Each structure stands twice: as C-alpha cells, then as structure tokens.
Amino acid sequence: MTCGFPSVQSSFASGTVPATSVIGLQWGDEAKGKVVDLLTEHHDIVIRYQGGNNAGHTVRFDGRTYKLSLLPTGILNARVKSVLAPGVVVNPLVLFQELDRMISGGQDCEDRLLVSDRAHVICPWHMLEEAAFEKSRGGEAIGTTMRGIGTCYRDKVGRFHAIRIADLVQRDVFAARVREIVPVKQKLLDALDPEGTRLNADQIIDEYSVAADRLRPMVADTTAWLLDALDRGKRLLFEGAQGSLLDIDHGTFPYVTSSSSSGCGLHSGSGVPARAIEKMIGVAKAYTTRVGGGPFPTELPDATGERIRRAGNEYGTVTGRPRRCGWLDAVATRYGARLSGVDSIVVSLLDVLSGFDELQICEAYEINGTTTRDFPSRCQDLAAARPSFVRLPGWTEDITGITQFHDLPEAAQNYVRTVARLTGRPVELVSVGPDRGQTIVMPER
Ligand code: GDP
Ligand code: IMO
Ligand code: MG
C-alpha cells in the first residue's frame, strides 16, 4: 500500500528527498515504529542513530505484530538495508536474540543489517552498575529500562572504559580490554553493593566472542557507506528512538535518556550532514504518556488516566511497566516540535480518545504565578507547572475504520485542528489504530 504523505511523495517524484526523519515529540512511544514502517517503502535505507535496546517500536500489518527494540524497523522490508549507526549503543547478545526472533518468525534478515564499527558495546557491567545506581537513588530513581544504556554512554564519553564494535570483532583486542576493565568495574560494583554480582572476565570474553564472530560480516564504516549511498541517490530514512523530551541536553534532565533523542542527535549519531535531511516528521500521541520518573504536568493519576491506559494498552513494550497517562500537553509537544525542527506532525492513537464527553489539551503552564507557553529548562519548574487547559467536546463513535479526514466526527476533526494550532505545525497524518491501514492522510492544504 502507499502511505500517503502527499508532500513527501510529490517530493520523491521530483527526486528531491534524499532523506526523511521520524522523531518522537513527547516522552517516547508515540508510534514512531508505525510511521517508519509506513514510510519505509519510499526509502532504500533505514537508520537507527541513537539509543539502543531501550526502544520498543511496534509495527502491525497482515494480522501480525512485530516488536523491534535494537533493530531498525526497516528490517521488516526485504528490499531495504538497515543500519545501526555510530551513535547507537549495541548489546551484541540482545542483537542476536532479536535477530533470531525475526528469523524464526520467517524474516530472513541478517544480511540486510549493517552495524557501525564506531558504535559502542553494552557489556554486562553496564546493566549491573545501572541497577546499583538506580537503587541508590531510592524514591528519586530515574526509572530507566535497565538495559545499560546510560552507563554505556557514560563510558563512551569518559573514553577510558569504552569498547567499540571495532574492538569487539578483534578477539585479542576485546579480550585485553575486558581484562583491563573488569577489575576497575568490580571495585565500583563492590563499593555500590558489597553483596552484588562478581564479574567473570573469561565468561564475558567467551560469550561476547561468539556474538562477535556472527557480527563480523555486518560490521562496516557505516558513515562512509551512508555518505556514498547519498551520492548514489539512495533515499535514507532516519528512525528516532525515545522522544524529544527525553533528550539528554534538551529534555527533562535528569529524567531523560542518555542520548540526543530529539532531532538534534540525527547528524552526530549517523554522520550524515544536517542539510541532507529534507523532511523531518514529528510523531505525537493524541494524549501524553511517560514511563519512568520525572515531572508530567498533565498526568491523570486517576480513573481517567486508567481509562486511557486501558484503551491505549499503555504498557511499556520493553519493560511491560504501566505507562503514566495524561491529557495532551501542547506546551511540551510544541517545544518538541520546535526543538526537532519538524515540518509536520503525525497525530497517533486518536481512536483511544473515543467515548470521552470532554477532552482537554494543555495550552499553557502557570509557573510560580507566571503564565507561559515556554517549556521550562529546570525539572523543578516543570514539577511546579499548573496546566491551563482548552476544553473540547468529545465524540462517541468508533473511528478505527475511518480512512478519510472528512469522515471523522466533527469533534475529532476539531481536536486534530486544535493540535495543529497549539503545536504550530501542520498535521500530515492521523493514526486511528495500530495497523498500517488505520491511517488517515490529511487533505492537501
Ligand atoms: P514507538 O516506540 O514510538 O514506536 O511506539 P510503541 O510501539 O512503543 O507504542 C505505540 C503503541 O501504540 C504500539 O502498541 C502500537 O501498535 C500502537 N499504535 C500505533 N498507532 C496506533 C493508533 O493509532 N491507535 C492505537 N490504538 N494504537 C496504535
Ligand atoms: P521508544 O523508542 C519511552 C525512558 C525510560 C526512563 C528514561 C531513561 O520506544 O519510544 P534509559 O533506559 O533510556 O536510560 O531510561 O527514558 N525511555 C523510554 N520511554 N519510550 C522509549 O523508547 C524509551 N526509552 C527510554 O523509561 O524514563
Ligand atoms: Mg516504544
């Protein structure tokens, strides 16, 4: 099927879209996987450039559901190459578990994947350190996915204890690095938790070397490869993970992930220059969710929030944790859209809002007596923010079978137009169900 995105397609027709990106505008789980899947057929290469197996991207078509975590969503398309670029952190054991799941599900996809030799390797101590640090924060835990993401990025930036894919695939180099790093990590782990696990260097070397042997044929200088692909006119699709509000620099620090998960991370994470990106698409849920800790001004810790959670099946794809649910926060989403420089917005999971008498969208915050539409830089200010809501009429109809915007109930059309107005970006697509076909292309403006 064609996915629509009229402006994208017309740009394709004129051959002017070398690269498109899909970015989450909230705190993750906005349905980026569905949107990337829809766009994949118009591209040749799908690239993950930040994060790792903290992501959980769900795609549904032909009656089947696929859950991707570390693998780019493009892996589901036999025509397309998928790339894990330098900015991704890779747990090689998890990579092969995921690939094996794909293969046993009938997707013979191993030869469609390239992994950057510059990407960093998540090792067992990263998960252990993270668990110990999170425990030590008590009630102020970040609520991470416990996948060793932040601790791996910390070692990358720190450099002394980092291991890259290029090191992993040279057995001697890898073994020497592990033997050098393990004693230091053991001291740290013992200090954090004297009763904790003992690292076994030999075992780690053996396990990771098996994965390394299988990984070797997929390893490449993906930066040079992608730049060459651009020169040859290949069409690139960048798959953001997490969301703009979880960005390490621009998100709700410290309740963020450890990578640049807004549009800002695309160029550094992939090596593809900013000016190659022709189209930035932001994905926003019709309401707001968040997993883990941190302030959330429009959260509904009540029966309404529970109703949204049930209707939207809002449980984490990676950890199974219930997602916190609340009304759409247009202040936060507008910030995400501006920060990531998106051209247009996909409004997803609109169907989940069917059946409410009244809906609310936050259009401003009141922080310490001042009304603002600006998203605060300090978590403490966000925690103090009192949302000011626009109230909108709801609709009762089931909209999951609707494919034309003008067939939506008037109240649902009004809701989508209000999202566009309050976020300052045109809505290009509305998603009314998890399946590929449950997608409404907005009429040309
Ligand atoms: P991602 O991390 O941004 O790719 O999003 P997730 O896959 O973690 O979460 C989105 C969830 O919503 C998945 O279970 C999707 O199958 C589902 N989904 C996507 N679009 C829609 C939609 O329009 N309506 C409903 N009800 N579910 C959707
Ligand atoms: P996708 O790509 C939602 C959240 C975690 C935690 C914080 C830090 O599916 O949208 P980390 O393990 O990254 O150090 O955790 O970030 N988080 C996500 N929330 N969707 C995600 O990915 C997430 N990846 C990380 O819950 O609050
Ligand atoms: Mg997700």
Side-chain angles (χ1 to χ4, degrees), residues 112-127:
R112 316 205 276 264
L113 181 68
L114 285 183
V115 180
S116 170
D117 53 3
R118 293 181 170 93
H120 282 250
V121 179
I122 297 179
C123 295
W125 50 81
H126 290 131
M127 274 79 79

Side-chain angles (χ1 to χ4, degrees), residues 29-34 56-58 317 323 349 351 431-434:
D29 302 325
E30 300 91 345
K32 298 175 293 296
K34 171 174 173 170
H57 296 179
T58 317
T317 317
R323 293 174 183 150
L349 293 103
D351 53 298
S431 176
V432 291

Side-chain angles (χ1 to χ4, degrees), residues 24 28-35 55-60 65-67 73 239-242 283 285 287 311-318 323 347-352 400 430-435 438:
D29 302 325
E30 300 91 345
K32 298 175 293 296
K34 171 174 173 170
V35 177
H57 296 179
T58 317
V59 173
R60 229 177 82 177
T65 300
Y66 300 90
K67 291 184 185 297
T73 297
E239 178 174 1
Q242 291 79 55
V283 189
K285 255 180 206 176
Y287 46 96
N313 191 24
E314 292 293 357
Y315 295 89
T317 317
V318 173
R323 293 174 183 150
V347 175
S348 61
L349 293 103
L350 185 67
D351 53 298
V352 172
T400 55
V430 177
S431 176
V432 291
D435 218 79
Q438 293 175 297

Side-chain angles (χ1 to χ4, degrees), residues 18 36-37 53-54 60 84 92 96 107 128 181 198 228 247 257-258 263 286 321 328 368 403 417:
V36 170
D37 173 60
N53 62 314
N54 49 350
R60 229 177 82 177
L84 296 178
F96 288 115
Q107 292 278 341
L128 295 169
I181 294 169
R198 298 220 63 74
D228 286 347
D247 186 283
T257 192
S258 298
R321 289 177 292 177
L328 180 66
N368 304 325
T403 54
R417 288 197 198 97

